[in-house]
């Protein structure tokens, strides 16, 4: 069956998520943007609504949401506040390596924990000297008896300051480069793990990012996911899946800015007429509407492919790039349409613009997404 409308259960999920975004996120989004504090009240509510643990499968006690449901919900959450959305969405990012490569026991243990109460996990791939070139990681795990001894530094770990466990990507065989990388679940209370201070950011200030320092940190060997050497593949498979949720974030932020700009253009009178009457303004809004709709369809496609076990490296990179570049353009144009008011903190569009920028950077920059797309089309995919 082919169609472009959502089935009734997803329409209901979208409406429910919109209510959550409007009633719980929007009223506090400015406060958490200004203070950068951890929004415990919002995350408790996000747990009550089933969003923090959305990706936990039913047999581990969670709702077992599909990727399509995840992106439909994420669009609404990012509409509410992109910083709070990132905290919630990144829980799914951190859990995905366990979903992809964990044994049934590992899934029950680590994912089950997230389903029981509001808890966070954090995905830790980036290092100070290995960002886009993640395969160049130097954080090292050495097997000694029944333990891995971990040494190194990780950075930009979203939710890292509040996480109970980390999906850590590190090298178990430095002679093999990316093929020597492994993924190990590291509990927060691991001796030798020190969590750094929170990053001070331009936007999405409600979200938390920290550095992690490993100094002879000891983790049991049973925390390894799959086999040694599978880490880079697990990371890439994870990102293929989760980039659709970042694209959905782009759609949500863009839509939020578009709504404010459209309303303003229809009511702001200059030269005796609403500014919408100027083609320079109405065409800007038409372009926004056009790109938001295209972004949403690309996002749904990438998520639908994951749900149907179809390889989607190209489509998720296209969706992420298109939707987040759209979010940057739309939020910048929304500031322009509001003129001086757009630049003022009295309106939210300046926040939307700051928040949008991060979407072009994390989970692989949009330059790296273009590299992925180029490689895929070169191979005829
Ligand atoms: C707020 C925030 C949250 C984050 N959350 C997480 C997280 O939860 N977990 C995690 O592991 N990481 C996270 N990251 C890290 C993020 O994924 C990296 O910042 C990103 O991958 C880029 O790496 P880098 O910052 O080292 O930039 P670099 O890799 O140094 O890149 C700098 C610039 O060069 C460009 N560039 C690099 N190589 C190429 C190339 N071959 N061709 C063209 N252009 C290139 C990049 O696109 C970029 O514009 C987060 C980052 C931020 C800022």
């Amino acid at each position: 069956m082919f169609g472009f409308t959502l089935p009734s259960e997803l329409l209901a999920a979208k409406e429910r998520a919109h209510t959550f975004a409007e009633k719980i996120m929007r009223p506090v989004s400015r406060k958490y943007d200004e203070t950068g504090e951890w929004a415990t009240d919002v995350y408790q509510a996000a747990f009550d609504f089933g969003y923090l643990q959305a990706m936990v499968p039913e047999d581990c006690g969670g709702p077992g949401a599909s990727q399509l449901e995840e992106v439909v919900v994420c669009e609404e959450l990012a509409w509410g506040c992109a910083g709070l959305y990132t905290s919630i969405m990144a829980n799914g990012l951190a859990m995905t390596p366990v979903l992809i490569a964990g044994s049934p026991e590992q899934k029950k243990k680590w994912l089950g924990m997230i389903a029981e109460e509001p808890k966070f996990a954090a995905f830790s791939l980036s290092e100070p000297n290995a960002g886009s070139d993640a395969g160049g990681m130097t954080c090292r795990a050495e097997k000694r008896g029944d333990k891995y001894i971990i040494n190194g530094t990780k950075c930009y770990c979203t939710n890292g300051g509040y996480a109970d466990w980390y999906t850590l990507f590190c090298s178990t065989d430095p002679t093999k480069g990316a093929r020597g990388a492994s993924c190990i679940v590291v509990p927060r209370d691991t001796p030798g793990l020190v969590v750094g201070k929170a990053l001070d950011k331009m936007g999405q200030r409600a979200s938390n990012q920290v550095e992690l320092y490993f100094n002879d940190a000891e983790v049991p060997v049973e925390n390894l996911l799959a086999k040694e050497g599978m880490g880079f593949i697990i990371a890439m498979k994870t990102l293929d899946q989760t980039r659709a949720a970042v694209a959905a974030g782009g759609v949500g932020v863009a839509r939020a800015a578009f709504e404010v700009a459209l309303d303003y253009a229809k009511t702001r009178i200059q030269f005796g007429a609403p500014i919408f009457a100027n083609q320079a303004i109405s065409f800007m809004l038409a372009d926004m509407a056009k790109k938001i709709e295209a972004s949403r369809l690309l996002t749904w496609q990438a998520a639908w492919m994951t749900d149907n076990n179809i390889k989607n490296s190209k489509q998720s990179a296209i969706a992420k790039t298109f939707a987040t570049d759209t979010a940057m353009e739309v939020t910048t144009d929304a500031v322009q349409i509001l003129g001086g008011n757009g630049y003022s903190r009295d309106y939210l569009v300046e926040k939307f613009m700051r928040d949008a920028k991060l979407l072009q950077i994390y989970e692989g920059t949009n330059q790296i997404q273009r590299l992925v797309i180029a490689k895929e089309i070169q191979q005829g995919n």
Side-chain angles (χ1 to χ4, degrees):
M1 180 92 124
F2 186 77
F4 287 102
T5 51
L6 292 172
S8 58
E9 67 275 14
L10 287 186
L11 281 173
K14 181 177 172 64
E15 213 176 295
R16 193 165 168 267
H18 188 72
T19 304
F20 178 87
E22 192 174 31
K23 306 269 184 253
I24 294 172
M25 299 174 99
R26 271 285 171 95
V28 295
S29 72
R30 182 59 92 184
K31 172 182 133 186
Y32 287 116
D33 176 54
E34 278 168 7
T35 63
E37 284 166 9
W38 188 243
T40 308
D41 51 343
V42 177
Y43 304 135
Q44 174 65 57
F47 178 79
D48 296 340
F49 271 70
Y51 300 150
L52 267 193
Q53 70 277 40
M55 302 313 296
V56 179
E58 286 177 359
D59 61 2
C60 296
S66 66
Q67 282 292 330
L68 193 52
E69 180 172 346
E70 175 76 352
V71 299
V72 165
V73 168
C74 278
E75 177 183 332
E76 300 309 315
L77 301 188
W79 177 93
C81 172
L84 298 169
Y85 139 86
T86 281
S87 306
I88 297 167
M89 179 273 295
N91 231 19
L93 166 67
M95 285 190 273
T96 302
V98 182
L99 278 167
I100 290 174
S103 65
E105 295 72 33
Q106 287 173 325
K107 286 182 186 164
K108 281 240 147 59
K109 178 171 180 181
W110 301 111
L111 305 180
M113 191 192 288
I114 304 271
E116 275 168 16
E117 53 185 305
K119 280 192 184 290
F120 282 86
F123 177 90
S124 185
L125 176 65
S126 301
E127 296 184 4
N129 292 317
S132 298
D133 182 14
M137 67 186 84
T138 56
C139 183
R140 172 97 164 90
E142 238 179 302
K143 199 170 176 178
R144 275 190 225 148
D146 60 355
K147 298 239 170 4
Y148 282 109
I149 312 296
I150 305 173
N151 281 288
T153 302
K154 291 284 174 179
C155 61
Y156 297 128
C157 183
T158 296
N159 293 339
Y162 298 88
D164 281 275
W165 52 268
Y166 305 87
T167 31
L168 174 76
F169 295 86
C170 51
S171 177
T172 41
D173 186 347
T175 64
K176 290 190 179 153
R179 271 174 291 167
S182 299
C183 184
I184 299 174
V185 178
V186 178
R188 165 67 174 259
D189 56 7
T190 298
L193 165 60
V194 175
V195 177
K197 70 174 175 57
L199 182 73
D200 192 10
K201 304 182 295 292
M202 170 205 281
Q204 300 209 17
R205 292 172 48 77
S207 69
N208 166 270
Q209 285 79 24
V210 292
E211 291 203 336
L212 301 175
Y213 310 104
F214 296 89
N215 303 304
D216 286 333
E218 285 189 16
V219 178
V221 286
E222 69 247 26
N223 288 15
L224 173 75
L225 296 183
K227 289 188 199 144
E228 285 190 8
M230 293 291 289
F232 198 67
I233 293 167
I234 296 170
M236 294 305 110
K237 277 192 176 172
T238 295
L239 294 169
D240 280 352
Q241 285 193 24
T242 57
R243 277 178 187 136
V246 179
V251 182
V253 178
R255 202 182 95 215
F258 168 74
E259 286 171 6
V260 177
L262 178 61
D263 187 50
Y264 193 89
K266 287 200 233 163
T267 52
R268 171 71 175 167
I269 309 290
Q270 287 295 282
F271 301 100
I275 57 169
F276 190 92
N278 303 293
Q279 215 172 56
I281 299 292
S282 64
F283 276 20
M284 230 192 269
L285 286 154
D287 279 340
M288 289 181 180
K290 194 177 82 184
K291 288 184 184 173
I292 291 169
E293 297 231 358
S295 298
R296 183 180 296 115
L297 290 177
L298 288 168
T299 301
W300 287 359
Q301 174 184 243
W304 176 88
M305 289 177 83
T306 295
D307 287 336
N308 287 279
N309 294 318
I310 303 169
K311 187 176 179 315
N312 67 350
S313 307
K314 182 176 90 174
Q315 286 79 5
S316 64
I318 289 176
K320 197 264 184 187
T321 315
F322 195 89
T324 62
D325 284 351
T326 291
M328 198 64 244
E329 278 175 44
V330 168
T331 54
T332 307
D333 285 349
V335 169
Q336 192 67 21
I337 288 173
L338 267 72
N341 280 332
Y343 205 67
S344 144
R345 281 187 195 261
D346 292 344
Y347 288 78
L348 276 174
V349 287
E350 62 79 27
K351 174 180 182 302
F352 298 149
M353 187 175 138
R354 287 184 285 111
D355 288 349
K357 188 67 216 167
L358 178 56
L359 301 170
Q360 295 180 303
I361 296 172
Y362 66 21
E363 293 205 31
T365 67
N366 284 4
Q367 287 73 39
I368 296 304
Q369 301 314 300
R370 286 175 172 85
L371 282 184
V372 172
I373 299 164
K375 190 173 147 211
E376 291 286 321
I377 58 175
Q378 190 184 30
Q379 291 171 351
N381 295 328

